[in-house]
Amino acid sequence: MMASKPSGRRAKIASSARRRWLPWILGIVLGVVAGGGMTKAYAPPNADVIRVQAADWYHHMRDLITPGTRPAPTKTWVGEPKIYATDPIALPPENTTDRDQVADDVDKLINVNAPIPDTGQLTTALDEARANLALNHRMLVVDAATGATLYDVGGQDAIVPASTLKLFTAINTLHHLDTSHRFTTSATYDPAQGVTLIGGGDGLLSNGESTGETVGYAGLADLANKTWEAIQQDVAQSGVIDVRVDVSRYAQPFTHPTWTEGLMTGGWVSPVYPLNTWGGFVTDPQLASEAVEDGAAYATAAFAQRLTEAAAQAGYDVEFSNAGRTTQPTETAPVASVQSATLGEQLRFAMKHSNNMLFEIFGREAALAAGATPDFTGSTATTITTLQELGLDAEHLHFVDNSGLSPNNRATLDATVQLFDLMLTNEQFRPIFHTLTIAGFDGTMRNRMTQAPYSGVVRSKTGTLEVASSNAGLTVTADGRTLWFAMNTSGADGDYAAAREEQDRLAEVLTDCGCSK
């Protein structure tokens, strides 16, 4: 199916959003109508590709390309990241450190004067590409500036979204929590019960001292030292003190029944508690990839060990012993606490690395902010309610988790593309653009589409399950037109490489399109 007219998706957005968007739409219309006649008098926008909009993203890219003093990673990367993109996607001058120095103007995000693809030519190109591929592909392509549907094969079908569901969770999270929000991990002390570690939603705890970076920003060793300083005068010179972990912030069950044993043992996810280390790993995942089986137990053991070390340094013969977890809220006031990296920083890390644990935590934190039950049912219901409040069509959406791990989740390509409209038209959700993984640069697209003209241009959220794979994001055509795309692939039967290769081929055809009239 192919439509040559606007799909009407933006008519579904709430009236308040339409009012905010109206001036910009009028500008686009005027630009498109007058662009030809005014070209000589007024030069078209000079940004015909997506601009990098965050200085910290630049520094992250530089760290990938020219590592600093960090220990050498134990992971084996497939080749080194290569930069083929030309300006304005380029590393900034070395002295560019202020986020405000990087433009984030909507009018520079899209070149409205670039030719829009002809639907007939685009359909022919994509249909021919799909016909030469082995797997089954649904695909939706929408013009970013006008909302016109340019290509539609199964855009309204209920599909298994895999990790592209994280885009929905991200919208819901930023609807209820600001990007500057931080999660607090604290500790209490009661002479009769010992020390209690209280999870507050930080899934990126360091099991040692703070790293000062997003991953491990809050350290359990720092919390242990603060706790020891607060309780030292009340503790005997020797003995054993219990250390429990309070996970009552979230409701049971802590794992979803559709998550397979392979997902759990393979390190894709672990029980969803309101605290975890390194996003579900035993150390910084940039250095190693050994997953924890139980984040609460591992964090508590690390915290107890650090407390014992702090006591020994003070000359006490005290052992702090892991006494397990409690689901009953702790009534004693905290004696010490540490705070996480901001939600915006955590969201960017989680999206680029498609971290399932963190997105399950984000979903529950959004549910708490919305006054819903912090479990699978309450968090996913909050997401659906949020989408409806924002004017999106949620009729064919069905979510059972927040990460996309379950094969029982359902979404549509059309609903996924509507999210990009929201990001573009609403500054509250604009930070999600910065979280998309970039072809040839970082995250799950680091080693995909590494050649020009795709590297640094295609931005997307990937998703991979045995039953289906997805990819949704944006690209810029050879004519400079920015397009949203969403695709879903089935029939690979667990051949993840084949699914990714064929999806990349479709994205390349779309990017190569010089198919304007």
Side-chain angles (χ1 to χ4, degrees):
M1 279 172 50
M2 178 277 297
S4 59
K5 299 180 181 179
S7 65
R9 70 186 69 251
R10 288 186 176 147
K12 301 174 184 177
I13 305 298
S15 59
S16 61
R18 288 200 299 268
R19 286 194 294 271
R20 289 192 300 269
W21 182 235
L22 183 58
W24 205 77
I25 285 292
L26 291 175
I28 289 177
V29 173
L30 290 174
V32 172
V33 172
M38 298 294 286
T39 300
K40 295 182 180 179
Y42 297 96
N46 62 4
D48 61 354
V49 294
I50 302 305
R51 295 190 61 155
V52 176
Q53 302 165 350
D56 50 357
W57 181 86
Y58 281 130
H59 300 311
H60 177 60
M61 293 303 100
R62 187 182 291 111
D63 185 56
L64 289 177
I65 299 161
T66 309
T69 58
R70 281 185 163 192
T74 58
K75 285 186 175 180
T76 301
W77 298 106
V78 183
E80 290 299 318
K82 299 178 177 60
I83 298 181
Y84 298 97
T86 56
D87 291 338
I89 302 181
L91 292 176
E94 287 295 331
N95 61 0
T96 302
T97 58
D98 189 348
R99 183 188 182 99
D100 295 335
Q101 295 181 31
V102 182
D104 189 23
D105 300 326
V106 176
D107 61 344
K108 294 180 180 178
L109 183 66
I110 296 174
N111 182 357
V112 299
N113 291 328
I116 188 171
D118 175 70
T119 53
Q121 295 184 51
L122 180 62
T123 297
T124 298
L126 289 173
D127 280 350
E128 288 180 354
R130 290 176 56 251
N132 291 323
L133 298 176
L135 306 177
N136 302 317
H137 301 278
R138 294 176 173 86
M139 189 171 185
L140 179 67
V141 179
V142 172
D143 180 54
T146 65
T149 297
L150 305 178
Y151 186 78
D152 187 348
V153 176
Q156 297 292 339
D157 295 348
I159 51 92
V160 178
S163 280
T164 56
L165 188 148
K166 291 180 172 69
L167 292 167
F168 295 89
T169 302
I171 290 286
N172 178 49
T173 301
L174 292 190
H175 183 65
H176 294 286
L177 297 169
D178 188 81
T179 54
S180 62
H181 181 82
R182 295 179 187 269
F183 307 109
T184 301
T185 306
S186 58
T188 69
Y189 177 67
D190 183 327
Q193 296 185 350
V195 175
T196 301
L197 176 65
I198 304 177
D202 188 0
L204 285 174
L205 289 166
S206 161
N207 53 3
E209 297 178 347
S210 170
T211 64
E213 300 179 2
T214 301
V215 185
Y217 185 90
L220 288 171
D222 298 323
L223 180 59
N225 291 333
K226 290 182 179 181
T227 302
W228 174 251
E229 290 177 4
I231 69 174
Q232 179 176 352
Q233 301 302 321
D234 300 322
V235 173
Q237 287 287 331
S238 63
V240 177
I241 298 177
D242 287 340
V243 179
R244 293 178 176 81
V245 59
D246 179 350
V247 297
S248 64
R249 185 174 179 84
Y250 298 163
Q252 300 187 57
F254 298 124
T255 60
H256 197 274
T258 62
W259 290 352
T260 64
E261 185 67 22
L263 291 175
M264 306 290 288
T265 58
W268 292 97
V269 74
S270 57
V272 186
Y273 300 121
L275 79 170
N276 211 316
T277 59
W278 309 108
F281 295 92
V282 300
T283 189
D284 189 335
Q286 298 177 82
L287 305 178
S289 55
E290 182 182 351
V292 299
E293 295 182 6
D294 187 310
Y298 184 72
T300 308
F303 181 59
Q305 177 184 347
R306 302 299 181 177
L307 279 170
T308 301
E309 293 171 355
Q313 290 176 0
Y316 284 65
D317 184 20
V318 176
E319 178 187 355
F320 289 86
S321 176
N322 184 354
R325 65 174 184 264
T326 176
T327 56
Q328 298 301 313
T330 301
E331 308 241 345
T332 308
V335 296
S337 65
V338 289
Q339 289 194 312
S340 71
T342 66
L343 172 60
E345 292 166 337
Q346 290 207 0
L347 185 63
R348 182 166 54 251
F349 171 84
M351 189 78 83
K352 286 186 177 293
H353 295 274
S354 202
N355 188 288
N356 301 301
M357 173 57 59
L358 293 175
F359 269 93
E360 292 300 334
I361 289 176
F362 296 156
R364 281 155 181 75
E365 291 299 319
L368 284 170
T373 306
D375 57 9
F376 288 102
T377 301
S379 57
T380 54
T382 300
T383 298
I384 297 296
T385 299
T386 293
L387 298 173
Q388 292 171 333
E389 291 175 353
L390 293 172
L392 274 70
D393 182 4
E395 179 182 358
H396 301 294
L397 303 183
H398 176 69
F399 302 153
V400 300
D401 63 24
N402 304 278
S403 57
L405 275 178
S406 174
N408 290 3
N409 291 308
R410 293 293 182 272
T412 66
L413 300 182
D414 181 71
T416 305
V417 168
Q418 288 182 49
L419 300 182
F420 296 118
D421 267 344
L422 272 177
M423 296 175 207
L424 184 65
T425 60
N426 191 317
E427 290 186 6
Q428 181 179 4
F429 306 120
R430 193 84 45 77
I432 301 175
F433 270 136
H434 309 320
T435 74
L436 298 178
T437 182
I438 303 174
F441 276 80
D442 65 359
T444 57
M445 288 290 289
R446 178 179 180 179
N447 296 311
R448 295 172 60 177
M449 305 178 72
T450 59
Q451 302 296 319
Y454 321 111
S455 174
V457 174
V458 178
R459 294 186 173 201
S460 65
K461 178 69 196 82
T462 62
T464 304
L465 289 178
E466 186 172 345
V467 296
S469 295
S470 294
N471 200 2
L474 58 91
T475 191
V476 181
T477 69
D479 290 330
R481 195 75 180 189
T482 302
L483 306 177
W484 310 138
F485 70 85
M487 61 183 80
N488 184 263
T489 302
S490 58
D493 296 327
D495 189 347
Y496 306 136
R500 292 166 182 156
E501 181 178 349
E502 293 198 2
Q503 286 181 349
D504 290 353
R505 177 56 189 151
L506 292 174
E508 290 170 357
V509 171
L510 188 61
T511 306
D512 289 336
C513 177
C515 40
S516 58
K517 288 185 179 180

